[in-house]
């Protein structure tokens, strides 16, 4: 047996009017939308029909109500029953239910927003197609009535009268109404007046006729300061014809949080949709704020966001391409200005360079990376070094950069966001470029081994040092290298690091998994970490000549611990214990020697 749904009209009214919209302020947007759409419909029949919207706040009506008059097409009594009493029914859709492009509203629920501020909504209307004036009165509890109007309208059109809910009268007051019109309806092409005085400009910021480029730049700067709260670094003109979109992108003069969603001001056929619309641009373009007007992108039912569909996705890609083209032009025409921009917004540009070759070229040529020879662009670095070697972390770079610089090795800090990915993409610009992560043991190949006489003299010390560190899985290697101020360097290859991770995993695993990990652990002695003792360092030379074995052992332990700490290497419990023993032992020896004196 087939049945129809039972609808609680009071609940539906409450759902749409109180939960669909984020704020009571949208009621004015919906009233203006209905008025402009009615005028658009009338002018489709009569191009010479008047186009006016006039508003009487409670200060003028004298009875606490707000009245909105329009010279639109109006409604006949059958249309009142069909459209105003059926939630979701709209005259602004065609017979297939598709949105008609010339209208702002499409969903047939906009009038319900008035119940955010009013407990009674009265619509007095006369159709331009003929017929008497009809009055529809809707109540917040879901009831409505339709009757002939007590007074006939002279001209076609509609008047909406709102009687405020107790406590909501401030939303209907004249000053508030003026502010809401300035927010939502300032750019509408229809004159909107309060007490006979027009209160909207009827133009979008890029549509005003400016006498000169300088005047335009000054006006747009003032607009950005008023709307977004900043003086823009630059202004980019935007246009996506397939979306009926035109507008501006204002480049932020200060750094922005890449993780924060950028809110853009979006107009729909010159009616403000919302100030905080996100996902209009690609995520990498977080350094711009946009104001756009669109005729084709679809709003959500609440008209406070854009509907995610293929057209919006294509528009997002096109707008991103226009921002990107601005950056490419800036690189070609004003390098100094580009550098100032990159100093603030390099994260967005580097993010874009991960999938755009032109932006990769901009980063390669203009963005200074941190290298062992100071800040340098990758293009300059490649001219000096045949191989682009990089460290995986900033800590590793800080330790190895002075050593690499002294050996003229060439090293780039890959510890910042996107830098490693950018360097790995360099072969797209130059197929001959060699990019590789530094294996720290490569540095040791540049160090000088000791001469045979010195090595023979140091042999007892080196044998003792090797015995001290053997239990920690570390070899001792004497070498001479710059800078002399660095006494020791703890170097571990990637294979050794992986072996250490394997041993840690085995130690914490149960018996079964410990056996499995042991079976795949193929580490040999060739991959053990190395403590490189710098023979050019005077402290190392003096420690090597100490005749007291226990004091020499403390010196070796201290050099080992200092190298671990300087390199920001993780300390095992055994490492920590040795570092503690060396510190206390040297302190005890120093205080004892001082007491003996």
């Amino acid at each position: 047996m087939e049945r129809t749904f039972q609808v609680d009209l009071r609940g539906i009214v409450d759902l749409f009017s109180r939960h669909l919209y984020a704020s009571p302020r949208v009621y004015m947007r919906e009233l203006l939308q209905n008025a402009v759409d009615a005028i658009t419909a009338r002018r489709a029949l009569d191009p010479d029909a008047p186009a006016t919207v006039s508003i009487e706040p409670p200060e003028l009506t004298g009875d606490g109500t707000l009245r909105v008059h329009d010279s639109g097409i109006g409604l006949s009594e059958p249309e009142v029953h069909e459209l105003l009493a059926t939630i979701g029914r709209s005259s602004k859709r065609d017979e297939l239910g598709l949105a008609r492009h010339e209208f702002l509203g499409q969903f047939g629920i906009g009038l319900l927003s008035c119940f955010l501020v009013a407990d009674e909504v009265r619509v007095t209307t006369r159709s331009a197609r003929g017929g008497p004036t009809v009055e529809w009165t809707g109540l917040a509890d879901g009831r409505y009535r339709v009757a002939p109007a007590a007074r006939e309208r002279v001209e076609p059109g509609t008047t909406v009268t709102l009687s405020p809910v107790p406590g909501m009268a401030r939303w209907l007051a004249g000053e508030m109404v003026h502010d809401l019109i300035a927010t939502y309806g300032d750019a509408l092409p229809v004159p909107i007046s309060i007490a006979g005085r027009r209160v909207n400009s009827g133009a979008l910021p890029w549509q005003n006729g400016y006498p000169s480029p300088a005047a335009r730049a000054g006006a747009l700067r003032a607009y950005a300061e008023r709307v977004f709260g900043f003086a823009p670094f630059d202004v980019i003109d935007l246009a996506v014809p397939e979306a009926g979109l035109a507008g501006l992108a204002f480049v932020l003069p200060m750094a922005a949080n890449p993780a924060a969603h950028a809110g853009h001001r979006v107009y729909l056929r010159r009616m403000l949709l919302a100030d905080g619309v996100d996902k209009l641009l690609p995520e990498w373009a977080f350094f711009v704020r946009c104001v756009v007007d669109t005729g084709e992108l679809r709003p959500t039912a609440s008209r406070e966001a854009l509907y995610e569909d293929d057209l919006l996705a294509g528009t997002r890609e096109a707008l991103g391409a226009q921002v990107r083209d601005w950056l490419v032009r800036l690189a070609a025409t004003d390098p100094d200005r580009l550098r100032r921009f990159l100093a603030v917004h390099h994260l967005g540009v580097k993010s874009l360079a991960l999938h755009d070759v032109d932006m990769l070229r901009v980063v390669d040529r203009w963005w200074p990376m941190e290298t062992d020879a100071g800040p340098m662009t990758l293009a300059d670095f490649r001219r000096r070094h045949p191989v682009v070697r990089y460290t995986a972390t900033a800590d590793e770079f800080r330790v190895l950069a002075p050593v690499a610089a002294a050996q003229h090795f060439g090293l780039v800090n890959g510890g910042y966001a996107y830098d490693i990915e950018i360097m790995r993409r360099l072969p797209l610009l130059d197929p001959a470029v060699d990019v590789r992560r530094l294996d720290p043991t490569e540095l040791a190949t540049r160090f000088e081994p000791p001469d045979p006489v010195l090595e023979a003299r140091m042999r007892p010390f080196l044998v003792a040092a090797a015995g001290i560190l053997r239990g920690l899985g570390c070899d001792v290697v004497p070498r001479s290298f710059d800078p002399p101020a660095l006494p020791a360097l703890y170097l571990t290859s990637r294979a050794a690091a992986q072996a250490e991770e394997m041993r840690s995993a085995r130690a914490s695993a149960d018996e079964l998994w410990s056996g499995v990990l042991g079976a795949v652990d193929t580490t040999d002695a060739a991959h053990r970490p190395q403590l490189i003792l710098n023979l050019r360092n005077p402290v190392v030379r003096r420690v090597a000549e100490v005749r007291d074995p226990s004091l020499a052992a403390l010196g070796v332990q201290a050099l080992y611990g200092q190298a671990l700490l300087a390199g920001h290497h993780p300390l095992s419990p055994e490492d920590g214990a040795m570092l503690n023993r060396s510190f206390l032992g040297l302190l005890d020896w120093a205080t004892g020697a001082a007491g003996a004196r």
Side-chain angles (χ1 to χ4, degrees):
M1 181 176 181
E2 194 174 81
R3 298 177 182 272
T4 59
F5 286 105
Q6 300 299 309
V7 178
D8 180 354
L9 189 56
R10 185 196 300 264
I12 292 295
V13 169
D14 181 72
L15 173 66
F16 281 113
S17 67
R18 302 187 188 280
H19 300 289
L20 181 66
Y21 300 106
S23 167
R25 67 204 304 261
V26 300
Y27 86 91
M28 180 55 66
R29 181 190 66 193
E30 300 301 327
L31 288 176
L32 293 176
Q33 165 205 294
N34 287 341
V36 171
D37 283 344
I39 292 170
T40 301
R42 183 176 179 187
R43 283 197 154 184
L45 298 176
D46 178 8
D48 297 323
T52 60
V53 177
S54 61
I55 298 176
E56 293 180 88
E59 293 88 337
L60 295 180
T61 61
D63 58 3
T65 63
L66 172 75
R67 297 174 192 165
V68 179
H69 311 276
D70 70 65
S71 60
I73 194 168
L75 298 173
S76 64
E77 182 172 350
E79 290 171 332
V80 166
H81 283 285
E82 179 184 8
L83 300 175
L84 297 187
T86 305
I87 295 172
R89 186 66 181 271
S90 175
S91 63
K92 303 161 192 173
R93 290 195 293 268
D94 59 26
E95 63 274 7
L96 298 177
L98 302 176
R100 290 164 61 185
H101 292 277
E102 66 270 27
F103 295 125
L104 296 169
Q106 313 290 349
F107 299 99
I109 56 176
L111 193 64
L112 292 175
S113 67
C114 294
F115 289 110
L116 291 166
V117 297
D119 55 10
E120 180 181 288
V121 178
R122 186 165 66 253
V123 178
T124 305
T125 182
R126 179 185 172 189
S127 175
R129 299 183 181 92
T133 302
V134 180
E135 186 170 273
W136 176 93
T137 303
L139 304 175
D141 62 7
R143 293 176 294 127
Y144 76 93
R145 57 180 178 268
V146 178
R151 178 183 297 178
E152 282 288 325
R153 287 182 62 100
V154 176
E155 293 290 334
T158 299
T159 296
V160 179
T161 303
L162 305 184
S163 298
V165 173
M168 301 297 285
R170 68 184 183 90
W171 290 98
L172 309 185
E175 184 177 355
M176 176 65 76
V177 168
H178 185 280
D179 290 344
L180 293 177
I181 293 172
T183 298
Y184 290 110
D186 183 69
L188 289 172
V190 174
I192 303 171
S193 62
I194 298 178
R197 183 173 65 89
R198 182 168 180 172
V199 293
N200 69 319
S201 69
L204 290 159
W206 59 89
Q207 294 175 327
N208 288 315
Y210 298 103
S212 67
R216 183 179 191 265
L220 295 182
R221 177 188 179 95
Y223 175 86
E225 289 178 329
R226 184 176 71 254
V227 173
F228 294 111
F230 62 82
F233 177 86
D234 205 348
V235 181
I236 308 168
D237 287 287
L238 304 174
V240 184
E242 56 267 32
L245 184 145
L248 304 167
F250 296 97
V251 181
L252 289 163
M254 65 288 188
N257 181 1
H261 291 291
H264 305 286
R265 171 170 273 213
V266 176
Y267 290 84
L268 180 63
R269 298 178 189 88
R270 297 168 71 167
M271 171 76 81
L272 180 67
L273 191 70
D275 273 320
V277 176
D278 61 2
K279 300 181 180 180
L280 181 66
L281 266 69
E283 290 185 1
W284 58 261
F286 56 83
F287 51 83
V288 298
R289 297 293 181 270
C290 295
V291 52
V292 301
D293 179 53
T294 177
E296 301 297 329
L297 294 178
R298 297 166 56 195
T300 58
S302 67
R303 292 173 48 78
E304 294 176 351
L306 293 172
Y307 184 79
E308 188 69 47
D309 57 11
D310 290 343
L311 181 58
L312 178 57
T315 301
R316 184 185 302 123
E317 183 176 344
L319 293 177
Q322 292 172 37
V323 174
R324 163 199 165 280
D325 290 345
W326 168 80
L327 281 166
V328 173
R329 288 195 304 273
L330 197 62
T333 60
D334 198 340
D336 289 338
R337 199 150 182 262
L338 175 69
R339 290 189 188 97
R340 294 199 301 273
F341 170 82
L342 290 177
V344 179
H345 297 301
H346 55 276
L347 280 179
V349 177
K350 290 199 293 185
S351 172
L352 177 57
L354 299 187
H355 54 83
D356 185 280
V357 173
D358 285 333
M359 292 314 301
L360 177 64
R361 190 171 288 110
V362 168
V363 172
D364 175 59
R365 184 178 178 187
W366 299 110
W367 175 243
M369 299 281 197
E370 186 177 5
T371 77
D372 60 335
M376 187 184 305
T377 66
L378 288 172
D380 288 339
F381 186 89
R382 298 203 315 277
R383 281 191 284 269
R384 299 187 185 190
H385 301 284
V387 179
V388 178
R389 291 185 177 87
Y390 63 87
T391 61
T393 67
D395 285 339
E396 186 180 23
F397 176 82
R398 280 190 284 269
V399 174
L400 299 181
V403 182
Q407 321 308 316
H408 307 290
F409 194 70
L411 189 62
V412 182
N413 185 357
Y416 297 110
Y418 308 122
D419 283 2
I420 291 177
E421 294 89 339
I422 287 171
M423 285 185 277
R424 288 175 175 171
R425 284 174 57 82
L426 288 177
L428 294 176
L429 305 181
D430 180 4
V433 69
D434 184 5
V435 180
R436 67 179 75 162
R437 177 179 172 181
L438 173 71
D439 190 320
T441 55
E442 287 183 86
L443 279 174
T445 63
R446 302 289 185 95
F447 300 162
E448 297 178 14
D451 62 74
V453 175
L454 178 60
E455 187 173 16
R457 191 169 72 242
M458 293 182 62
R459 187 176 301 281
F461 167 77
L462 295 174
V463 171
I468 294 169
L469 300 183
R470 185 176 296 112
L472 299 174
C474 180
D475 293 331
V476 178
V477 179
R479 290 290 186 269
S480 296
F481 60 90
D482 291 327
L486 185 65
L489 193 61
Y490 183 87
L491 296 182
T492 178
S493 66
R494 287 198 292 275
Q498 293 167 356
E500 180 58 33
E501 293 175 0
M502 184 75 73
R503 284 192 292 270
S504 298
R506 288 177 61 187
S508 60
D510 58 28
E511 183 177 353
L512 173 61
W513 282 109
S514 179
V516 172
L517 294 174
V520 299
D521 185 0
T522 59
T523 306
D524 55 34
H527 294 140
R528 287 157 58 95
Q530 296 176 337
L531 180 67
I532 310 294
L533 297 178
N534 188 0
L535 300 182
R536 291 179 184 168
N537 182 269
V539 173
V540 172
R541 297 287 290 267
R542 286 197 294 270
V543 170
E545 294 171 0
V546 170
R547 296 292 177 256
D548 183 344
S550 61
L551 182 57
L554 290 176
V556 171
Q557 293 170 359
L559 289 170
Y560 173 79
Q562 185 272 340
L564 286 178
L565 294 175
H568 298 272
H569 298 285
L571 297 180
S572 68
E574 294 82 2
D575 294 333
M578 176 176 285
L579 186 61
N580 188 54
R581 286 197 305 271
S582 67
F583 173 75
L584 294 177
L586 290 173
L587 185 62
D588 181 63
W589 180 86
T591 54
R597 289 197 301 269

